[in-house]
Each structure stands twice: as C-alpha cells, then as structure tokens.
PDB file of all heavy atoms in Angstrom:
ATOM      1  N   ALA A 196       9.939  12.177 -71.951  1.00 93.00           N
ATOM      2  CA  ALA A 196       9.847  13.310 -72.880  1.00 93.00           C
ATOM      3  C   ALA A 196       8.772  14.270 -72.437  1.00 93.00           C
ATOM      4  O   ALA A 196       8.955  15.518 -72.480  1.00 93.00           O
ATOM      5  CB  ALA A 196       9.562  12.787 -74.294  1.00 93.00           C
ATOM      6  N   ALA A 197       7.622  13.749 -71.997  1.00 93.00           N
ATOM      7  CA  ALA A 197       6.551  14.613 -71.531  1.00 93.00           C
ATOM      8  C   ALA A 197       6.934  15.311 -70.237  1.00 93.00           C
ATOM      9  O   ALA A 197       6.638  16.509 -70.056  1.00 93.00           O
ATOM     10  CB  ALA A 197       5.281  13.773 -71.331  1.00 93.00           C
ATOM     11  N   LEU A 198       7.602  14.596 -69.328  1.00 93.00           N
ATOM     12  CA  LEU A 198       7.985  15.154 -68.055  1.00 93.00           C
ATOM     13  C   LEU A 198       9.015  16.278 -68.213  1.00 93.00           C
ATOM     14  O   LEU A 198       8.916  17.331 -67.576  1.00 93.00           O
ATOM     15  CB  LEU A 198       8.553  14.040 -67.141  1.00 93.00           C
ATOM     16  CG  LEU A 198       9.085  14.477 -65.791  1.00 93.00           C
ATOM     17  CD1 LEU A 198       7.944  14.977 -64.913  1.00 93.00           C
ATOM     18  CD2 LEU A 198       9.789  13.289 -65.107  1.00 93.00           C
ATOM     19  N   LEU A 199       9.999  16.050 -69.077  1.00 93.00           N
ATOM     20  CA  LEU A 199      11.109  16.989 -69.258  1.00 93.00           C
ATOM     21  C   LEU A 199      10.842  18.022 -70.354  1.00 93.00           C
ATOM     22  O   LEU A 199      11.662  18.914 -70.577  1.00 93.00           O
ATOM     23  CB  LEU A 199      12.398  16.223 -69.577  1.00 93.00           C
ATOM     24  CG  LEU A 199      12.820  15.233 -68.499  1.00 93.00           C
ATOM     25  CD1 LEU A 199      13.959  14.361 -68.998  1.00 93.00           C
ATOM     26  CD2 LEU A 199      13.237  15.957 -67.231  1.00 93.00           C
ATOM     27  N   LYS A 200       9.697  17.854 -71.030  1.00 93.00           N
ATOM     28  CA  LYS A 200       9.308  18.778 -72.108  1.00 93.00           C
ATOM     29  C   LYS A 200      10.393  18.835 -73.206  1.00 93.00           C
ATOM     30  O   LYS A 200      10.801  19.916 -73.639  1.00 93.00           O
ATOM     31  CB  LYS A 200       9.020  20.163 -71.552  1.00 93.00           C
ATOM     32  CG  LYS A 200       7.839  20.187 -70.579  1.00 93.00           C
ATOM     33  CD  LYS A 200       7.558  21.581 -70.047  1.00 93.00           C
ATOM     34  CE  LYS A 200       6.293  21.634 -69.226  1.00 93.00           C
ATOM     35  NZ  LYS A 200       6.248  20.673 -68.111  1.00 93.00           N
ATOM     36  N   ARG A 201      10.819  17.670 -73.615  1.00 94.00           N
ATOM     37  CA  ARG A 201      11.795  17.538 -74.696  1.00 94.00           C
ATOM     38  C   ARG A 201      11.283  16.490 -75.680  1.00 94.00           C
ATOM     39  O   ARG A 201      10.603  15.533 -75.296  1.00 94.00           O
ATOM     40  CB  ARG A 201      13.141  17.053 -74.137  1.00 94.00           C
ATOM     41  CG  ARG A 201      13.893  18.082 -73.311  1.00 94.00           C
ATOM     42  CD  ARG A 201      14.491  19.202 -74.144  1.00 94.00           C
ATOM     43  NE  ARG A 201      15.435  20.007 -73.398  1.00 94.00           N
ATOM     44  CZ  ARG A 201      16.774  19.913 -73.491  1.00 94.00           C
ATOM     45  NH1 ARG A 201      17.304  19.059 -74.353  1.00 94.00           N
ATOM     46  NH2 ARG A 201      17.543  20.681 -72.771  1.00 94.00           N
ATOM     47  N   PRO A 202      11.623  16.607 -76.957  1.00 95.00           N
ATOM     48  CA  PRO A 202      11.268  15.553 -77.896  1.00 95.00           C
ATOM     49  C   PRO A 202      12.054  14.280 -77.589  1.00 95.00           C
ATOM     50  O   PRO A 202      13.175  14.322 -77.103  1.00 95.00           O
ATOM     51  CB  PRO A 202      11.668  16.150 -79.260  1.00 95.00           C
ATOM     52  CG  PRO A 202      12.650  17.211 -78.939  1.00 95.00           C
ATOM     53  CD  PRO A 202      12.304  17.764 -77.603  1.00 95.00           C
ATOM     54  N   GLU A 203      11.440  13.166 -77.884  1.00 94.00           N
ATOM     55  CA  GLU A 203      12.076  11.881 -77.609  1.00 94.00           C
ATOM     56  C   GLU A 203      13.424  11.752 -78.312  1.00 94.00           C
ATOM     57  O   GLU A 203      14.355  11.133 -77.798  1.00 94.00           O
ATOM     58  CB  GLU A 203      11.175  10.726 -78.029  1.00 94.00           C
ATOM     59  CG  GLU A 203       9.929  10.585 -77.198  1.00 94.00           C
ATOM     60  CD  GLU A 203       9.081   9.406 -77.628  1.00 94.00           C
ATOM     61  OE1 GLU A 203       9.668   8.385 -78.070  1.00 94.00           O
ATOM     62  OE2 GLU A 203       7.853   9.486 -77.540  1.00 94.00           O
ATOM     63  N   SER A 204      13.553  12.397 -79.474  1.00 95.00           N
ATOM     64  CA  SER A 204      14.777  12.287 -80.249  1.00 95.00           C
ATOM     65  C   SER A 204      15.982  12.916 -79.514  1.00 95.00           C
ATOM     66  O   SER A 204      17.128  12.606 -79.849  1.00 95.00           O
ATOM     67  CB  SER A 204      14.602  12.942 -81.621  1.00 95.00           C
ATOM     68  OG  SER A 204      14.258  14.318 -81.457  1.00 95.00           O
ATOM     69  N   GLU A 205      15.729  13.795 -78.571  1.00 96.00           N
ATOM     70  CA  GLU A 205      16.822  14.443 -77.831  1.00 96.00           C
ATOM     71  C   GLU A 205      17.211  13.690 -76.555  1.00 96.00           C
ATOM     72  O   GLU A 205      18.158  14.076 -75.891  1.00 96.00           O
ATOM     73  CB  GLU A 205      16.414  15.885 -77.461  1.00 96.00           C
ATOM     74  CG  GLU A 205      16.316  16.822 -78.626  1.00 96.00           C
ATOM     75  CD  GLU A 205      16.083  18.250 -78.179  1.00 96.00           C
ATOM     76  OE1 GLU A 205      16.011  18.487 -76.955  1.00 96.00           O
ATOM     77  OE2 GLU A 205      15.967  19.129 -79.073  1.00 96.00           O
ATOM     78  N   ILE A 206      16.507  12.643 -76.232  1.00 96.00           N
ATOM     79  CA  ILE A 206      16.753  11.925 -74.960  1.00 96.00           C
ATOM     80  C   ILE A 206      17.474  10.621 -75.264  1.00 96.00           C
ATOM     81  O   ILE A 206      17.035   9.814 -76.079  1.00 96.00           O
ATOM     82  CB  ILE A 206      15.423  11.642 -74.235  1.00 96.00           C
ATOM     83  CG1 ILE A 206      14.743  12.959 -73.857  1.00 96.00           C
ATOM     84  CG2 ILE A 206      15.671  10.802 -72.994  1.00 96.00           C
ATOM     85  CD1 ILE A 206      13.385  12.784 -73.228  1.00 96.00           C
ATOM     86  N   THR A 207      18.582  10.410 -74.576  1.00 95.00           N
ATOM     87  CA  THR A 207      19.339   9.159 -74.660  1.00 95.00           C
ATOM     88  C   THR A 207      19.301   8.482 -73.295  1.00 95.00           C
ATOM     89  O   THR A 207      19.647   9.110 -72.282  1.00 95.00           O
ATOM     90  CB  THR A 207      20.792   9.420 -75.074  1.00 95.00           C
ATOM     91  OG1 THR A 207      20.803  10.065 -76.355  1.00 95.00           O
ATOM     92  CG2 THR A 207      21.571   8.114 -75.155  1.00 95.00           C
ATOM     93  N   LEU A 208      18.924   7.216 -73.265  1.00 95.00           N
ATOM     94  CA  LEU A 208      18.925   6.442 -72.047  1.00 95.00           C
ATOM     95  C   LEU A 208      19.972   5.338 -72.155  1.00 95.00           C
ATOM     96  O   LEU A 208      19.947   4.552 -73.113  1.00 95.00           O
ATOM     97  CB  LEU A 208      17.542   5.823 -71.809  1.00 95.00           C
ATOM     98  CG  LEU A 208      16.418   6.752 -71.358  1.00 95.00           C
ATOM     99  CD1 LEU A 208      15.127   5.954 -71.190  1.00 95.00           C
ATOM    100  CD2 LEU A 208      16.787   7.465 -70.067  1.00 95.00           C
ATOM    101  N   LYS A 209      20.880   5.287 -71.211  1.00 95.00           N
ATOM    102  CA  LYS A 209      21.903   4.247 -71.150  1.00 95.00           C
ATOM    103  C   LYS A 209      21.646   3.372 -69.938  1.00 95.00           C
ATOM    104  O   LYS A 209      21.636   3.855 -68.790  1.00 95.00           O
ATOM    105  CB  LYS A 209      23.295   4.868 -71.080  1.00 95.00           C
ATOM    106  CG  LYS A 209      23.641   5.714 -72.304  1.00 95.00           C
ATOM    107  CD  LYS A 209      25.044   6.286 -72.195  1.00 95.00           C
ATOM    108  CE  LYS A 209      25.413   7.082 -73.454  1.00 95.00           C
ATOM    109  NZ  LYS A 209      26.771   7.674 -73.362  1.00 95.00           N
ATOM    110  N   THR A 210      21.459   2.084 -70.156  1.00 94.00           N
ATOM    111  CA  THR A 210      21.179   1.166 -69.056  1.00 94.00           C
ATOM    112  C   THR A 210      22.398   1.050 -68.163  1.00 94.00           C
ATOM    113  O   THR A 210      23.535   0.905 -68.629  1.00 94.00           O
ATOM    114  CB  THR A 210      20.802  -0.219 -69.607  1.00 94.00           C
ATOM    115  OG1 THR A 210      19.645  -0.093 -70.442  1.00 94.00           O
ATOM    116  CG2 THR A 210      20.502  -1.174 -68.483  1.00 94.00           C
ATOM    117  N   LEU A 211      22.161   1.113 -66.845  1.00 91.00           N
ATOM    118  CA  LEU A 211      23.226   0.988 -65.859  1.00 91.00           C
ATOM    119  C   LEU A 211      23.094  -0.314 -65.107  1.00 91.00           C
ATOM    120  O   LEU A 211      21.994  -0.803 -64.860  1.00 91.00           O
ATOM    121  CB  LEU A 211      23.164   2.154 -64.859  1.00 91.00           C
ATOM    122  CG  LEU A 211      23.311   3.555 -65.452  1.00 91.00           C
ATOM    123  CD1 LEU A 211      23.120   4.605 -64.377  1.00 91.00           C
ATOM    124  CD2 LEU A 211      24.694   3.725 -66.102  1.00 91.00           C
ATOM    125  N   ALA A 212      24.234  -0.867 -64.731  1.00 82.00           N
ATOM    126  CA  ALA A 212      24.251  -2.091 -63.925  1.00 82.00           C
ATOM    127  C   ALA A 212      24.068  -1.746 -62.454  1.00 82.00           C
ATOM    128  O   ALA A 212      24.238  -0.604 -62.039  1.00 82.00           O
ATOM    129  CB  ALA A 212      25.557  -2.831 -64.132  1.00 82.00           C
ATOM    130  N   GLY A 213      23.748  -2.788 -61.669  1.00 68.00           N
ATOM    131  CA  GLY A 213      23.619  -2.586 -60.237  1.00 68.00           C
ATOM    132  C   GLY A 213      22.176  -2.605 -59.793  1.00 68.00           C
ATOM    133  O   GLY A 213      21.265  -2.183 -60.507  1.00 68.00           O
ATOM    134  N   GLY A 214      21.963  -3.066 -58.564  1.00 64.00           N
ATOM    135  CA  GLY A 214      20.619  -3.136 -58.023  1.00 64.00           C
ATOM    136  C   GLY A 214      19.890  -4.364 -58.547  1.00 64.00           C
ATOM    137  O   GLY A 214      20.138  -4.849 -59.641  1.00 64.00           O
ATOM    138  N   ASP A 215      18.947  -4.858 -57.751  1.00 69.00           N
ATOM    139  CA  ASP A 215      18.207  -6.048 -58.173  1.00 69.00           C
ATOM    140  C   ASP A 215      16.704  -5.889 -58.057  1.00 69.00           C
ATOM    141  O   ASP A 215      15.964  -6.847 -58.185  1.00 69.00           O
ATOM    142  CB  ASP A 215      18.670  -7.280 -57.337  1.00 69.00           C
ATOM    143  CG  ASP A 215      18.465  -7.062 -55.858  1.00 69.00           C
ATOM    144  OD1 ASP A 215      17.958  -6.025 -55.456  1.00 69.00           O
ATOM    145  OD2 ASP A 215      18.846  -7.981 -55.093  1.00 69.00           O
ATOM    146  N   THR A 216      16.252  -4.643 -57.806  1.00 78.00           N
ATOM    147  CA  THR A 216      14.801  -4.447 -57.683  1.00 78.00           C
ATOM    148  C   THR A 216      14.254  -3.503 -58.727  1.00 78.00           C
ATOM    149  O   THR A 216      13.054  -3.466 -58.969  1.00 78.00           O
ATOM    150  CB  THR A 216      14.452  -3.860 -56.305  1.00 78.00           C
ATOM    151  OG1 THR A 216      15.164  -2.648 -56.098  1.00 78.00           O
ATOM    152  CG2 THR A 216      14.830  -4.860 -55.188  1.00 78.00           C
ATOM    153  N   ALA A 217      15.093  -2.695 -59.361  1.00 87.00           N
ATOM    154  CA  ALA A 217      14.621  -1.697 -60.342  1.00 87.00           C
ATOM    155  C   ALA A 217      15.572  -1.637 -61.522  1.00 87.00           C
ATOM    156  O   ALA A 217      16.745  -2.007 -61.424  1.00 87.00           O
ATOM    157  CB  ALA A 217      14.506  -0.318 -59.687  1.00 87.00           C
ATOM    158  N   ARG A 218      15.058  -1.141 -62.668  1.00 91.00           N
ATOM    159  CA  ARG A 218      15.893  -0.865 -63.813  1.00 91.00           C
ATOM    160  C   ARG A 218      16.450   0.535 -63.685  1.00 91.00           C
ATOM    161  O   ARG A 218      15.725   1.453 -63.302  1.00 91.00           O
ATOM    162  CB  ARG A 218      15.078  -1.012 -65.113  1.00 91.00           C
ATOM    163  CG  ARG A 218      14.564  -2.411 -65.351  1.00 91.00           C
ATOM    164  CD  ARG A 218      13.617  -2.437 -66.537  1.00 91.00           C
ATOM    165  NE  ARG A 218      14.306  -2.044 -67.773  1.00 91.00           N
ATOM    166  CZ  ARG A 218      13.663  -1.805 -68.922  1.00 91.00           C
ATOM    167  NH1 ARG A 218      12.338  -1.907 -68.978  1.00 91.00           N
ATOM    168  NH2 ARG A 218      14.337  -1.467 -70.006  1.00 91.00           N
ATOM    169  N   SER A 219      17.735   0.714 -63.979  1.00 93.00           N
ATOM    170  CA  SER A 219      18.403   2.005 -63.774  1.00 93.00           C
ATOM    171  C   SER A 219      18.999   2.507 -65.092  1.00 93.00           C
ATOM    172  O   SER A 219      19.510   1.712 -65.890  1.00 93.00           O
ATOM    173  CB  SER A 219      19.520   1.874 -62.724  1.00 93.00           C
ATOM    174  OG  SER A 219      18.966   1.481 -61.487  1.00 93.00           O
ATOM    175  N   PHE A 220      18.942   3.821 -65.286  1.00 95.00           N
ATOM    176  CA  PHE A 220      19.407   4.421 -66.515  1.00 95.00           C
ATOM    177  C   PHE A 220      20.155   5.742 -66.233  1.00 95.00           C
ATOM    178  O   PHE A 220      19.854   6.430 -65.266  1.00 95.00           O
ATOM    179  CB  PHE A 220      18.237   4.744 -67.457  1.00 95.00           C
ATOM    180  CG  PHE A 220      17.317   3.600 -67.741  1.00 95.00           C
ATOM    181  CD1 PHE A 220      16.216   3.378 -66.943  1.00 95.00           C
ATOM    182  CD2 PHE A 220      17.576   2.749 -68.811  1.00 95.00           C
ATOM    183  CE1 PHE A 220      15.354   2.315 -67.219  1.00 95.00           C
ATOM    184  CE2 PHE A 220      16.742   1.678 -69.075  1.00 95.00           C
ATOM    185  CZ  PHE A 220      15.619   1.463 -68.268  1.00 95.00           C
ATOM    186  N   ARG A 221      21.081   6.067 -67.108  1.00 96.00           N
ATOM    187  CA  ARG A 221      21.646   7.423 -67.163  1.00 96.00           C
ATOM    188  C   ARG A 221      20.946   8.115 -68.311  1.00 96.00           C
ATOM    189  O   ARG A 221      20.936   7.649 -69.449  1.00 96.00           O
ATOM    190  CB  ARG A 221      23.163   7.372 -67.402  1.00 96.00           C
ATOM    191  CG  ARG A 221      23.802   8.748 -67.607  1.00 96.00           C
ATOM    192  CD  ARG A 221      25.261   8.609 -67.995  1.00 96.00           C
ATOM    193  NE  ARG A 221      25.811   9.841 -68.541  1.00 96.00           N
ATOM    194  CZ  ARG A 221      26.560  10.697 -67.880  1.00 96.00           C
ATOM    195  NH1 ARG A 221      26.866  10.443 -66.605  1.00 96.00           N
ATOM    196  NH2 ARG A 221      27.009  11.801 -68.441  1.00 96.00           N
ATOM    197  N   LEU A 222      20.363   9.277 -68.017  1.00 97.00           N
ATOM    198  CA  LEU A 222      19.620  10.028 -69.015  1.00 97.00           C
ATOM    199  C   LEU A 222      20.482  11.210 -69.449  1.00 97.00           C
ATOM    200  O   LEU A 222      20.983  11.966 -68.616  1.00 97.00           O
ATOM    201  CB  LEU A 222      18.298  10.536 -68.416  1.00 97.00           C
ATOM    202  CG  LEU A 222      17.355  11.282 -69.327  1.00 97.00           C
ATOM    203  CD1 LEU A 222      15.906  11.124 -68.860  1.00 97.00           C
ATOM    204  CD2 LEU A 222      17.681  12.781 -69.410  1.00 97.00           C
ATOM    205  N   GLU A 223      20.613  11.362 -70.744  1.00 97.00           N
ATOM    206  CA  GLU A 223      21.386  12.469 -71.315  1.00 97.00           C
ATOM    207  C   GLU A 223      20.545  13.243 -72.319  1.00 97.00           C
ATOM    208  O   GLU A 223      19.774  12.646 -73.093  1.00 97.00           O
ATOM    209  CB  GLU A 223      22.662  11.939 -71.990  1.00 97.00           C
ATOM    210  CG  GLU A 223      23.603  11.237 -71.037  1.00 97.00           C
ATOM    211  CD  GLU A 223      24.806  10.630 -71.750  1.00 97.00           C
ATOM    212  OE1 GLU A 223      24.809  10.652 -73.010  1.00 97.00           O
ATOM    213  OE2 GLU A 223      25.725  10.142 -71.066  1.00 97.00           O
ATOM    214  N   MET A 224      20.716  14.573 -72.312  1.00 96.00           N
ATOM    215  CA  MET A 224      20.037  15.462 -73.262  1.00 96.00           C
ATOM    216  C   MET A 224      21.004  16.582 -73.646  1.00 96.00           C
ATOM    217  O   MET A 224      21.815  16.989 -72.812  1.00 96.00           O
ATOM    218  CB  MET A 224      18.769  16.075 -72.661  1.00 96.00           C
ATOM    219  CG  MET A 224      17.696  15.079 -72.278  1.00 96.00           C
ATOM    220  SD  MET A 224      16.177  15.922 -71.690  1.00 96.00           S
ATOM    221  CE  MET A 224      16.839  16.862 -70.286  1.00 96.00           C
ATOM    222  N   PRO A 225      20.889  17.117 -74.845  1.00 96.00           N
ATOM    223  CA  PRO A 225      21.752  18.246 -75.239  1.00 96.00           C
ATOM    224  C   PRO A 225      21.539  19.450 -74.314  1.00 96.00           C
ATOM    225  O   PRO A 225      20.409  19.841 -74.020  1.00 96.00           O
ATOM    226  CB  PRO A 225      21.292  18.554 -76.656  1.00 96.00           C
ATOM    227  CG  PRO A 225      20.643  17.305 -77.139  1.00 96.00           C
ATOM    228  CD  PRO A 225      20.020  16.685 -75.951  1.00 96.00           C
ATOM    229  N   GLY A 226      22.672  20.006 -73.843  1.00 95.00           N
ATOM    230  CA  GLY A 226      22.588  21.235 -73.054  1.00 95.00           C
ATOM    231  C   GLY A 226      22.007  21.080 -71.661  1.00 95.00           C
ATOM    232  O   GLY A 226      21.622  22.061 -71.046  1.00 95.00           O
ATOM    233  N   ALA A 227      21.975  19.854 -71.141  1.00 95.00           N
ATOM    234  CA  ALA A 227      21.410  19.627 -69.808  1.00 95.00           C
ATOM    235  C   ALA A 227      22.297  18.653 -69.036  1.00 95.00           C
ATOM    236  O   ALA A 227      22.959  17.795 -69.620  1.00 95.00           O
ATOM    237  CB  ALA A 227      19.991  19.070 -69.924  1.00 95.00           C
ATOM    238  N   PRO A 228      22.336  18.796 -67.711  1.00 96.00           N
ATOM    239  CA  PRO A 228      23.111  17.819 -66.929  1.00 96.00           C
ATOM    240  C   PRO A 228      22.485  16.447 -66.993  1.00 96.00           C
ATOM    241  O   PRO A 228      21.274  16.291 -67.205  1.00 96.00           O
ATOM    242  CB  PRO A 228      23.040  18.399 -65.508  1.00 96.00           C
ATOM    243  CG  PRO A 228      21.807  19.240 -65.494  1.00 96.00           C
ATOM    244  CD  PRO A 228      21.690  19.801 -66.859  1.00 96.00           C
ATOM    245  N   ALA A 229      23.313  15.431 -66.832  1.00 96.00           N
ATOM    246  CA  ALA A 229      22.811  14.054 -66.833  1.00 96.00           C
ATOM    247  C   ALA A 229      21.911  13.829 -65.621  1.00 96.00           C
ATOM    248  O   ALA A 229      22.041  14.472 -64.592  1.00 96.00           O
ATOM    249  CB  ALA A 229      24.002  13.076 -66.815  1.00 96.00           C
ATOM    250  N   ARG A 230      21.036  12.883 -65.792  1.00 97.00           N
ATOM    251  CA  ARG A 230      20.131  12.505 -64.693  1.00 97.00           C
ATOM    252  C   ARG A 230      20.169  10.998 -64.510  1.00 97.00           C
ATOM    253  O   ARG A 230      20.499  10.260 -65.424  1.00 97.00           O
ATOM    254  CB  ARG A 230      18.705  12.954 -64.981  1.00 97.00           C
ATOM    255  CG  ARG A 230      18.509  14.480 -64.951  1.00 97.00           C
ATOM    256  CD  ARG A 230      17.138  14.826 -65.467  1.00 97.00           C
ATOM    257  NE  ARG A 230      16.783  16.223 -65.269  1.00 97.00           N
ATOM    258  CZ  ARG A 230      17.072  17.210 -66.074  1.00 97.00           C
ATOM    259  NH1 ARG A 230      17.794  16.951 -67.194  1.00 97.00           N
ATOM    260  NH2 ARG A 230      16.724  18.450 -65.836  1.00 97.00           N
ATOM    261  N   PHE A 231      19.819  10.574 -63.315  1.00 96.00           N
ATOM    262  CA  PHE A 231      19.734   9.148 -62.994  1.00 96.00           C
ATOM    263  C   PHE A 231      18.246   8.792 -62.900  1.00 96.00           C
ATOM    264  O   PHE A 231      17.482   9.478 -62.194  1.00 96.00           O
ATOM    265  CB  PHE A 231      20.427   8.874 -61.666  1.00 96.00           C
ATOM    266  CG  PHE A 231      20.423   7.432 -61.238  1.00 96.00           C
ATOM    267  CD1 PHE A 231      21.150   6.496 -61.947  1.00 96.00           C
ATOM    268  CD2 PHE A 231      19.697   7.034 -60.120  1.00 96.00           C
ATOM    269  CE1 PHE A 231      21.135   5.153 -61.559  1.00 96.00           C
ATOM    270  CE2 PHE A 231      19.688   5.693 -59.737  1.00 96.00           C
ATOM    271  CZ  PHE A 231      20.408   4.753 -60.449  1.00 96.00           C
ATOM    272  N   VAL A 232      17.852   7.753 -63.606  1.00 96.00           N
ATOM    273  CA  VAL A 232      16.438   7.380 -63.686  1.00 96.00           C
ATOM    274  C   VAL A 232      16.264   5.931 -63.235  1.00 96.00           C
ATOM    275  O   VAL A 232      17.022   5.035 -63.658  1.00 96.00           O
ATOM    276  CB  VAL A 232      15.900   7.530 -65.123  1.00 96.00           C
ATOM    277  CG1 VAL A 232      14.436   7.077 -65.195  1.00 96.00           C
ATOM    278  CG2 VAL A 232      16.040   8.965 -65.580  1.00 96.00           C
ATOM    279  N   LYS A 233      15.285   5.693 -62.377  1.00 95.00           N
ATOM    280  CA  LYS A 233      14.919   4.345 -61.978  1.00 95.00           C
ATOM    281  C   LYS A 233      13.483   4.072 -62.453  1.00 95.00           C
ATOM    282  O   LYS A 233      12.609   4.931 -62.363  1.00 95.00           O
ATOM    283  CB  LYS A 233      14.960   4.184 -60.446  1.00 95.00           C
ATOM    284  CG  LYS A 233      16.305   3.862 -59.894  1.00 95.00           C
ATOM    285  CD  LYS A 233      16.191   3.502 -58.397  1.00 95.00           C
ATOM    286  CE  LYS A 233      17.515   3.007 -57.841  1.00 95.00           C
ATOM    287  NZ  LYS A 233      17.365   2.608 -56.411  1.00 95.00           N
ATOM    288  N   TYR A 234      13.277   2.825 -62.918  1.00 95.00           N
ATOM    289  CA  TYR A 234      11.927   2.390 -63.249  1.00 95.00           C
ATOM    290  C   TYR A 234      11.620   1.123 -62.478  1.00 95.00           C
ATOM    291  O   TYR A 234      12.457   0.200 -62.363  1.00 95.00           O
ATOM    292  CB  TYR A 234      11.786   2.104 -64.739  1.00 95.00           C
ATOM    293  CG  TYR A 234      10.460   1.420 -65.047  1.00 95.00           C
ATOM    294  CD1 TYR A 234       9.282   2.171 -65.158  1.00 95.00           C
ATOM    295  CD2 TYR A 234      10.374   0.054 -65.145  1.00 95.00           C
ATOM    296  CE1 TYR A 234       8.069   1.558 -65.388  1.00 95.00           C
ATOM    297  CE2 TYR A 234       9.155  -0.598 -65.370  1.00 95.00           C
ATOM    298  CZ  TYR A 234       7.995   0.171 -65.494  1.00 95.00           C
ATOM    299  OH  TYR A 234       6.797  -0.448 -65.694  1.00 95.00           O
ATOM    300  N   HIS A 235      10.420   1.035 -61.905  1.00 93.00           N
ATOM    301  CA  HIS A 235       9.948  -0.192 -61.292  1.00 93.00           C
ATOM    302  C   HIS A 235       8.465  -0.338 -61.568  1.00 93.00           C
ATOM    303  O   HIS A 235       7.730   0.654 -61.617  1.00 93.00           O
ATOM    304  CB  HIS A 235      10.211  -0.198 -59.775  1.00 93.00           C
ATOM    305  CG  HIS A 235      10.188  -1.556 -59.179  1.00 93.00           C
ATOM    306  ND1 HIS A 235       9.004  -2.242 -58.903  1.00 93.00           N
ATOM    307  CD2 HIS A 235      11.199  -2.376 -58.825  1.00 93.00           C
ATOM    308  CE1 HIS A 235       9.297  -3.428 -58.390  1.00 93.00           C
ATOM    309  NE2 HIS A 235      10.626  -3.534 -58.328  1.00 93.00           N
ATOM    310  N   ASP A 236       8.020  -1.581 -61.770  1.00 92.00           N
ATOM    311  CA  ASP A 236       6.620  -1.775 -62.067  1.00 92.00           C
ATOM    312  C   ASP A 236       5.728  -1.714 -60.812  1.00 92.00           C
ATOM    313  O   ASP A 236       4.511  -1.840 -60.922  1.00 92.00           O
ATOM    314  CB  ASP A 236       6.382  -3.080 -62.839  1.00 92.00           C
ATOM    315  CG  ASP A 236       6.920  -4.309 -62.093  1.00 92.00           C
ATOM    316  OD1 ASP A 236       7.308  -4.184 -60.928  1.00 92.00           O
ATOM    317  OD2 ASP A 236       6.964  -5.372 -62.723  1.00 92.00           O
ATOM    318  N   GLU A 237       6.338  -1.539 -59.644  1.00 93.00           N
ATOM    319  CA  GLU A 237       5.589  -1.342 -58.405  1.00 93.00           C
ATOM    320  C   GLU A 237       5.820   0.110 -57.943  1.00 93.00           C
ATOM    321  O   GLU A 237       6.842   0.429 -57.324  1.00 93.00           O
ATOM    322  CB  GLU A 237       6.050  -2.318 -57.322  1.00 93.00           C
ATOM    323  CG  GLU A 237       5.439  -2.082 -55.940  1.00 93.00           C
ATOM    324  CD  GLU A 237       3.919  -1.941 -55.984  1.00 93.00           C
ATOM    325  OE1 GLU A 237       3.252  -2.955 -56.171  1.00 93.00           O
ATOM    326  OE2 GLU A 237       3.437  -0.792 -55.837  1.00 93.00           O
ATOM    327  N   PRO A 238       4.869   1.012 -58.217  1.00 95.00           N
ATOM    328  CA  PRO A 238       5.091   2.424 -57.873  1.00 95.00           C
ATOM    329  C   PRO A 238       5.367   2.669 -56.397  1.00 95.00           C
ATOM    330  O   PRO A 238       6.154   3.561 -56.061  1.00 95.00           O
ATOM    331  CB  PRO A 238       3.768   3.094 -58.300  1.00 95.00           C
ATOM    332  CG  PRO A 238       3.210   2.191 -59.355  1.00 95.00           C
ATOM    333  CD  PRO A 238       3.604   0.801 -58.925  1.00 95.00           C
ATOM    334  N   ALA A 239       4.760   1.883 -55.507  1.00 95.00           N
ATOM    335  CA  ALA A 239       4.946   2.111 -54.069  1.00 95.00           C
ATOM    336  C   ALA A 239       6.395   1.975 -53.665  1.00 95.00           C
ATOM    337  O   ALA A 239       6.841   2.656 -52.711  1.00 95.00           O
ATOM    338  CB  ALA A 239       4.069   1.131 -53.291  1.00 95.00           C
ATOM    339  N   LEU A 240       7.158   1.141 -54.359  1.00 95.00           N
ATOM    340  CA  LEU A 240       8.566   0.996 -54.024  1.00 95.00           C
ATOM    341  C   LEU A 240       9.326   2.296 -54.245  1.00 95.00           C
ATOM    342  O   LEU A 240      10.136   2.700 -53.400  1.00 95.00           O
ATOM    343  CB  LEU A 240       9.172  -0.145 -54.825  1.00 95.00           C
ATOM    344  CG  LEU A 240      10.569  -0.605 -54.435  1.00 95.00           C
ATOM    345  CD1 LEU A 240      10.724  -2.109 -54.644  1.00 95.00           C
ATOM    346  CD2 LEU A 240      11.658   0.116 -55.239  1.00 95.00           C
TER     347      LEU A 240
END
C-alpha cells in the first residue's frame, strides 16, 4: 500500500501456486493492471 500509494482496502492479493523458494501473489487494484508479487524472507535472493 505504501509502495503503490493506495489504501490497503483497494489491494487484493491472490496466492499463486508454483515455486518452492518464495511466496507468490497476483496483485489486483481498481483501475490498474495486475501485478505479480514475490515475497521471501531472504532479501538477497
């Protein structure tokens, strides 16, 4: 929300399958193209 300058209420994260090292999501917001988001607790990766 801070990065995209949108309220949290406008952001939808859908968990995606696949991969074994990071958590993956499809991010959706009104009036914006979808984005692919990865999270990992090791930033260097």
